[in-house]
Amino acid sequence: MPHTDAVARLAADLVRLDSRSFVSNLAVADRIAAELAGFELERLDYADAAGVPKQVIVAHRGPSGGVALSGHMDTVPDTGWTTDPFSGAIDGKGVLHGLGAADMKGPLAACIIAARTLPAHLPATLLITTDEETTKQGARLIADKSALARRAAPRGILVAEPTGMLPVRGHRSNIDFIAEAEGVQAHSSLGIGRNANWALVPFLAEMQALAERLRTDVTLHDTAYDPPFSDFNPVIDNHGAAVNVTVPRATIRIKFRYSRRIDPAPVVAAVEAAAARAGLGLRILRQGLPPETPADHPFIRAIEAATGHPAETRPFGTDASELQEVAPCAILGPEVMDTAHSPVERARLALLGAAVPVFQRIMGV
């Protein structure tokens, strides 16, 4: 493929730059900006909730009204890696290894090369975000504040998450529940402390029952999705407390994913009531509504024609939940999720290179 070498070089460079969501992505943003000579660039700065400096990029060249390509710069943490997660190594089989290779520095590199090599008379727009893996704050900033995105006026946005180049017209969005219990820290042998975990027990019991109802009550299912039931996934954090210490603070985070046909209000009310009964503090973080571009929308029809595949729905989430306020969204990208978020993440360079002409066909229609 004529574009594979260029995509490989850029993707490997991006993987070698640490942009886990809890660190700054400014080095990655600088590397990307260096690829975009001839584009008008809008670089929007912000600080995340921990005060870490972040930046998103909107780039545009040519007339308005085209199809924008979007990808994110951040990655999940390097949990479980026993080799260098930032090696960016390319093996003899043409496979790129490293954190974010598939999700989604490889696909992002394909987007950038596709936009950069598109004929100059065609509109080329890039919406490059960060914090996709956490809060979607970067995409939210573009939707709320980007003057260049408004002037580019894309008629559609292609979010290049790895889908095996199968078009996706809709996916779930999520609401995050963060419940906290307070205890009193002491040596656990003395009997004078109070372990915050005990306050979570009745709340967890109610959350388990709610999760089971979401799985088994067909009135809460959406058969347009696989699986049809909403995700309701808890993670507990004792903030580093040792086993001989009464835990002073315990946090449970629950990610609730729902599709557009599901009303989240009863679930939110149930979590709020359970937290109140258990005496827990509760924060609720909402992302944008589940994006579902209609199956008969011209943008979806054009993507189906370019790929030769019907559009699907998927259970995951992407920046489309926020970017849909800019233009109708679809998700289409090279590689698949089989190694993403794992310590053996990889991307096949031939697949990344092959995505470039497909992106360009969609941008040129």
Side-chain angles (χ1 to χ4, degrees):
M1 290 290 177
H3 300 289
T4 300
D5 288 346
V7 173
R9 284 192 295 271
L10 178 55
D13 283 354
L14 297 181
V15 169
R16 292 181 187 119
L17 296 170
D18 180 5
S19 58
R20 292 169 293 175
S21 295
F22 58 87
V23 304
S24 177
N25 74 310
L26 295 184
V28 175
D30 287 342
R31 177 65 185 87
I32 289 171
E35 289 288 316
L36 296 173
F39 281 76
E40 182 179 354
L41 295 184
E42 181 184 47
R43 302 179 71 170
L44 300 174
D45 295 301
Y46 70 97
D48 67 16
V52 177
K54 303 285 181 71
Q55 187 179 92
V56 297
I57 297 174
V58 178
H60 180 73
R61 187 188 68 195
S64 62
V67 171
L69 303 180
S70 180
H72 63 85
M73 294 176 269
D74 62 313
T75 74
V76 296
D78 55 332
T79 305
W81 282 81
T82 57
T83 58
D84 181 6
F86 310 112
S87 72
I90 298 174
D91 66 25
K93 296 181 179 179
V95 178
L96 171 66
H97 298 270
L99 183 65
D103 186 14
M104 65 172 298
K105 291 180 174 180
L108 175 57
C111 289
I112 293 166
I113 299 303
R116 198 184 69 191
T117 59
L118 193 72
H121 69 281
L122 294 173
T125 306
L126 291 164
L127 310 176
I128 304 176
T129 75
T130 196
D131 284 335
E132 189 275 346
E133 299 289 3
T134 53
T135 63
K136 308 292 190 293
Q137 190 174 355
R140 182 76 259 153
L141 181 62
I142 290 175
D144 287 344
K145 301 293 186 181
S146 174
L148 183 54
R150 287 194 293 274
R151 283 195 284 111
R155 66 177 181 274
I157 299 170
L158 202 64
V159 180
E161 292 280 357
T163 67
M165 294 304 286
L166 297 175
V168 174
R169 65 174 186 83
H171 62 65
R172 290 177 169 134
S173 187
N174 63 275
I175 298 173
D176 293 338
F177 302 102
I178 304 170
E180 291 198 333
E182 300 293 332
V184 176
Q185 182 172 342
H187 196 292
S188 63
S189 69
L190 300 179
I192 59 175
R194 186 177 74 251
N195 194 312
N197 282 329
W198 297 126
L200 292 182
V201 172
F203 178 74
L204 277 170
E206 291 197 57
M207 294 303 95
Q208 183 181 30
L210 180 56
E212 184 64 19
R213 185 183 170 204
L214 287 169
R215 279 179 169 258
T216 59
D217 186 344
V218 296
T219 66
L220 301 176
H221 290 183
D222 184 346
T223 56
Y225 283 78
D226 182 19
F229 52 83
S230 296
D231 181 28
F232 195 81
N233 189 59
V235 176
I236 299 173
D237 186 0
N238 281 172
H239 306 281
V243 74
N244 60 351
V245 171
T246 54
V247 175
R249 183 162 66 104
T251 303
I252 179 169
R253 294 175 173 84
I254 302 173
K255 184 176 287 294
F256 167 50
R257 299 183 192 268
Y258 67 101
S259 64
R260 189 173 284 268
R261 292 180 181 84
I262 300 299
D263 179 7
V267 174
V268 173
V271 175
E272 288 176 325
R277 282 189 288 270
L280 305 181
L282 180 68
R283 287 183 292 143
I284 301 175
L285 304 178
R286 297 174 182 263
Q287 294 183 4
L289 292 174
E292 291 187 17
T293 305
D296 59 354
H297 193 284
F299 180 45
I300 299 300
R301 294 299 191 206
I303 296 169
E304 291 176 330
T307 62
H309 295 283
E312 308 173 356
T313 58
R314 296 283 178 93
F316 53 60
T318 76
D319 279 331
S321 59
E322 314 304 322
L323 295 177
Q324 64 180 327
E325 295 186 16
V326 177
C329 290
I331 300 87
L332 179 78
E335 265 299 349
V336 291
M337 288 286 193
D338 62 344
T339 65
H341 297 198
S342 86
V344 292
E345 188 168 1
R346 57 95 179 98
R348 290 159 286 189
L349 297 175
L351 299 181
L352 301 182
V356 172
V358 180
F359 289 159
Q360 293 181 328
R361 283 199 298 275
I362 294 168
M363 297 170 79
V365 296

